Amino acid sequence: LKEATMTDLWYVLLTVVLFGLLALVLRGVERL
Amino acid sequence: MSDTAAGVIFIAALIVALALAYRPLGDYMYRVVTPTRHSTVERGIYRLIGVNPEGEQTWRVYTTSVLAFSAISILFLYAFQRLQHALHWLDLGFPGVAPALSWNTAVSFVTNTNWQAYSGESTMGHLVQMAGLAVQNFVSAAVGVAVAVALVRGFARKQNDRLGNFWVDLVRICLRILLPISVIFAIVLIAGGAIQNLSSGHDISTLAGGTQHITGGPVASQEVIKELGTNGGGFYNANSAHPFENPTTWTNWLEIFLLLVISFSLPRTFGRIVGSNRQGYAIVSAMVIMAVGSITVINVLQGLHQGTVPQAVGAATEGVESRFGVLQSATFASATTLTSTGAVDSFHDSYTALGGGVPILNMMLGEVAPGGTGSGLYGILILAVITVFIAGLMVGRTPEYLGKKIGSREVKLASLYLLTTPALVLIGTGVAMALPSARAGMLNTGAHGLSEVLYAFTSAANNNGSAFAGLTVNTTWYNTALGLTMLLGRFLPMVFVLGLAGSLGQQKAVPESSGTLKTHQPLFVGMLVGVTLIVVALTYFPALALGPLAEGVH
C-alpha cells in the first residue's frame, strides 16, 4: 500500500464511478 | 494437393465437426443450466461465498450480481498486476505493471475482450498469468453464458419474475463446462507440441551469433480456455502465431474449432430451454449463413492478393505465419472476429485492404455469427426481437416472439442494446482522430491509418481484443479510452439484455394465431440475416467507406 500512487487511486475511483453509472442505468431501465 | 483444395478440406472438416458437436454439447449445456442437484464441491463454494443456491433472483438482483462480481474482479486484477513484483513467486523478476496498462488489462480480461497493450512474455509473471488472467478467461466466459441463459429463461418462463441464480450459473458453467473441456484439450495441445511448465525460460544462441531469451510457462492450459471462452489473450505477444501456443496445422484447426464450438452449440441449449429445437435450428442457421459468407469472402479476397507487393510475390503472405499459409490464416481471422475471441495466427493489419475490412465488418455485425460465449446468443436474440418487430410493422400486427409480446418496453431495450456499441465505436474513433496526441499513435496515414483506429475501437466495444497493429496503444490515453470502451461495451448491453429478460419473464404467454410469424422457418432466418446486415450497413457504412473501402478501391 505504501507504493500506491495517486494514479492508482484515480483508476480505482474511475472503476467505482463507472459501475455506479451502470447501477444508475439499471435503475433507469426499471423505470422505462 | 493444391492450397485451395487443402483450404476447402480444412473448412469442410470444421463445419462437419461443429455440426457433430451441436446436439451433444448443446444438450449437455442445457442439463448444466437446468436445476439439478448440486455437487459437493459446488455446495462448498456456495457456503464459502454465502449464497443460497436454491434462491432465484429477479432481473435486478441478477444484474447487480453480475456488476458487483465484475467490479470486484477488475479491482482485484488491477492490484494483482500492480503488486506482482511484491509477491515474490513466479514473477520472473518483472516489475509491477504500470497503472494505466494494469487498468486497461484488468478491464480487458474481465470483459472477455483480452485486448493486450503489452507483450505477455516481457510484462507478466506466471502467477499473474495463471491466477489472474487465466481465471478471468474462465469466469468472464461463464458470465457471458449466464446472461444468455437468463435471457432465454425470460423467454421460456411465464409470469415469473425470477431468472435463476447468477452465482449458481457462474459456478456450474465454470466447473461443469469450461474446466473439463479445458483440461481434456490442454492435454491434446501438449501432445501436439504446446508447452506447459513453470520455467522462467532459457537463453539460447541464435544462428546469427546473438543471444535470445525464450520464455517458458503454463501455455497449453491457458491456450484452450483462450479459445474455448472466446477470450483471445495470448501468453505470448505473437498469440496463436507463436509455435509454443499453436505448434502445427492440426492444432491450428483445433483452436478454430474450440473458439467456435460453444457459441455454435448454444442455440441448441436455447431450443431445449424454450421447448422447441426448431427455434434453435433457426438461430444456428442464421449464424451459419453469415459465418460461411464471411469465411468465403475473406478467403477470396486474400486469394486474389490485390496490391503491388502481393501481386509481385504471388500471394498475400505479409504477416502470415508460413506454417499455416494464407487460407488457414484467413479462416482463423474470420472465425476469431465472428466470435469475440480476438486471438490471431496472422496479422490482420497486413491483410489486403478489403480482406482486412472483413474482420472489422465481422465485429461490427455485433459478433453474432456465432459470437462470443453467451454474448453471441444474446446478441442474435436481440436481433431476432428487432426482426419480429419489423415483420410486425409490415403486416400491422403486434409482434411476438416465442409466445411473448414484443411491446414498447421490449423494443426500447433492444434498440438501446443495438445503439450502444456503434455509439462507443464511432464516438471513440472520432475523438481519437480529433486529438493530436491520439493521432500521434498512428504509424500509418490516410485510409489505412483510420482503419487502424476504427479497428481498435470496434474491437474494444465489441469485446473482441484483436488489433490492427501499427497503432501505438500503450499510452495513458489509449489505455484509458479503450478501457472505458471495453467496460461500457460489455456491461451496458448486459443491463439492457437482463432488463429485457425480466420484462419477458413477467409476461404471460400469447397463444399462437394465424398472424404469428413462424420463427422457425426459412423466411424468418432470411429476415434475421437481412436485418443484421442492414442494421450494420446503415450504421457503419460511412466509417467503412473512409477506411478499408477507400483503401481497397484506391
Side-chain angles (χ1 to χ4, degrees):
Chain A
L1 285 176
K2 283 179 189 167
E3 294 178 34
T5 64
M6 282 304 288
T7 320
D8 289 312
L9 200 62
W10 194 88
Y11 279 113
V12 170
L13 199 62
L14 179 63
T15 307
V16 172
V17 167
L18 285 169
F19 277 94
L21 186 72
L22 287 164
L24 285 177
V25 173
L26 193 154
R27 289 191 66 178
V29 168
E30 271 186 313
R31 294 173 186 180
L32 203 65
Chain B
M1 185 186 292
S2 72
D3 285 352
T4 306
V8 170
I9 292 171
F10 186 88
I11 295 167
L14 269 175
I15 294 171
V16 170
L18 290 166
L20 288 174
Y22 177 77
R23 279 185 66 166
L25 183 57
D27 288 346
Y28 175 69
M29 290 192 287
Y30 166 73
R31 289 195 295 275
V32 169
V33 298
T34 306
T36 55
R37 286 189 302 176
H38 309 288
S39 72
T40 310
V41 176
E42 288 166 355
R43 279 200 302 271
I45 294 172
Y46 302 142
R47 263 198 298 274
L48 193 69
I49 58 177
V51 164
N52 170 18
E54 311 305 333
E56 294 215 329
Q57 299 169 321
T58 62
W59 82 266
R60 194 175 189 281
V61 178
Y62 202 101
T63 312
T64 306
S65 303
V66 170
L67 295 179
F69 176 72
S70 303
I72 290 166
S73 296
I74 289 173
L75 293 175
F76 171 77
L77 195 51
Y78 177 83
F80 205 174
Q81 294 171 85
R82 294 286 292 132
L83 297 171
Q84 71 163 341
H85 60 295
L87 300 170
H88 302 297
W89 191 54
L90 294 175
D91 62 346
L92 307 187
F94 293 136
V97 182
L101 181 57
S102 290
W103 191 72
N104 180 281
T105 307
V107 171
S108 173
F109 276 73
V110 171
T111 56
N112 200 247
T113 311
N114 294 34
W115 172 268
Q116 294 173 291
Y118 64 93
S119 299
E121 63 267 47
S122 60
T123 311
M124 302 291 178
H126 293 341
L127 188 63
V128 171
Q129 293 261 23
M130 289 188 299
L133 305 182
V135 168
Q136 284 305 320
N137 281 355
F138 282 94
V139 294
S140 69
V143 167
V145 178
V147 172
V149 168
L151 175 60
V152 178
R153 286 181 187 135
F155 279 114
R157 294 182 175 184
K158 297 163 188 71
Q159 293 179 299
N160 186 339
D161 66 348
R162 309 282 153 160
L163 296 177
N165 185 310
F166 168 71
W167 305 103
V168 171
D169 290 338
L170 179 71
V171 169
R172 278 190 186 168
I173 292 161
C174 280
L175 293 187
R176 300 191 192 190
I177 301 173
L178 301 176
L179 262 172
I181 300 176
S182 295
V183 169
I184 293 165
F185 283 101
I187 295 167
V188 174
L189 271 190
I190 292 167
I195 67 166
Q196 180 74 18
N197 57 53
L198 293 177
S199 167
S200 61
H202 300 283
D203 290 315
I204 56 144
S205 299
T206 65
L207 291 173
T211 58
Q212 187 179 357
H213 184 73
I214 307 287
T215 306
V219 177
S221 56
Q222 284 177 225
E223 192 67 12
V224 175
I225 190 61
K226 176 187 108 178
E227 312 294 2
L228 187 69
T230 60
N231 294 284
F235 190 92
Y236 295 100
N237 188 37
N239 210 291
S240 287
H242 196 293
F244 289 176
E245 288 197 21
N246 190 7
T248 64
T249 51
W250 73 259
T251 60
N252 194 44
W253 182 92
L254 181 64
E255 293 195 6
I256 300 174
F257 170 77
L258 287 171
L259 69 88
L260 292 169
V261 69
I262 287 184
S263 299
F264 263 130
S265 301
L266 272 173
R268 173 75 181 184
T269 313
F270 155 71
R272 290 291 305 272
I273 296 174
V274 299
S276 168
N277 289 332
R278 293 188 300 181
Q279 297 292 343
Y281 283 121
I283 292 296
V284 81
S285 300
M287 288 175 167
V288 168
I289 289 168
M290 288 187 276
V292 169
S294 167
I295 290 171
T296 306
V297 168
I298 194 170
N299 273 293
V300 168
L301 291 170
Q302 289 303 96
L304 290 173
H305 53 77
Q306 287 172 331
T308 310
V309 175
Q311 288 286 349
V313 299
T317 52
E318 183 192 302
V320 169
E321 169 62 38
S322 59
R323 289 173 297 135
F324 306 136
V326 173
L327 290 176
Q328 280 196 38
S329 300
T331 304
F332 197 117
S334 190
T336 200
T337 47
L338 283 165
T339 60
S340 73
T341 311
V344 293
D345 75 350
S346 60
F347 289 85
H348 299 178
D349 195 30
S350 295
Y351 277 34
T352 59
L354 295 175
V358 174
I360 301 179
L361 186 63
N362 285 343
M363 292 186 286
M364 288 173 170
L365 280 173
E367 294 168 348
V368 292
T373 45
S375 59
L377 180 62
Y378 65 67
I380 204 160
L381 289 177
I382 293 286
L383 286 159
V385 166
I386 295 291
T387 303
V388 293
F389 172 66
I390 291 171
L393 287 181
M394 286 176 178
V395 295
R397 283 176 179 272
T398 304
E400 56 195 74
Y401 184 48
L402 303 171
K404 296 295 174 78
K405 275 190 179 170
I406 305 302
S408 162
R409 178 177 165 80
E410 288 74 24
V411 172
K412 279 180 196 165
L413 287 168
S415 303
L416 283 168
Y417 177 99
L418 286 180
L419 289 170
T420 300
T421 315
L424 290 168
V425 171
L426 298 174
I427 292 171
T429 306
V431 171
M433 297 310 292
L435 290 175
S437 58
R439 280 205 308 277
M442 294 162 57
L443 301 180
N444 287 272
T445 56
H448 195 74
L450 173 65
S451 294
E452 289 170 346
V453 178
L454 180 65
Y455 195 116
F457 280 93
T458 306
S459 176
N462 286 284
N463 301 134
N464 185 271
S466 65
F468 261 11
L471 182 66
T472 306
V473 287
N474 190 13
T475 63
T476 302
W477 191 85
Y478 271 113
N479 276 329
T480 309
L482 291 172
L484 281 168
T485 308
M486 289 186 277
L487 195 148
L488 297 176
R490 175 75 164 176
F491 296 114
L492 274 175
M494 276 187 177
V495 172
F496 301 137
V497 165
L498 290 167
L500 178 63
S503 177
L504 292 167
Q506 288 173 47
Q507 288 186 29
K508 54 186 176 188
V510 181
E512 197 172 306
S513 70
S514 58
T516 302
L517 177 67
K518 303 275 190 268
T519 53
H520 61 274
Q521 291 184 344
L523 174 66
F524 176 74
V525 174
M527 286 184 70
L528 178 55
V529 173
V531 165
T532 305
L533 295 175
I534 290 167
V535 165
V536 170
L538 292 179
T539 309
Y540 288 107
F541 184 76
L544 287 169
L546 292 170
L549 292 178
E551 190 187 355
V553 298
H554 188 264

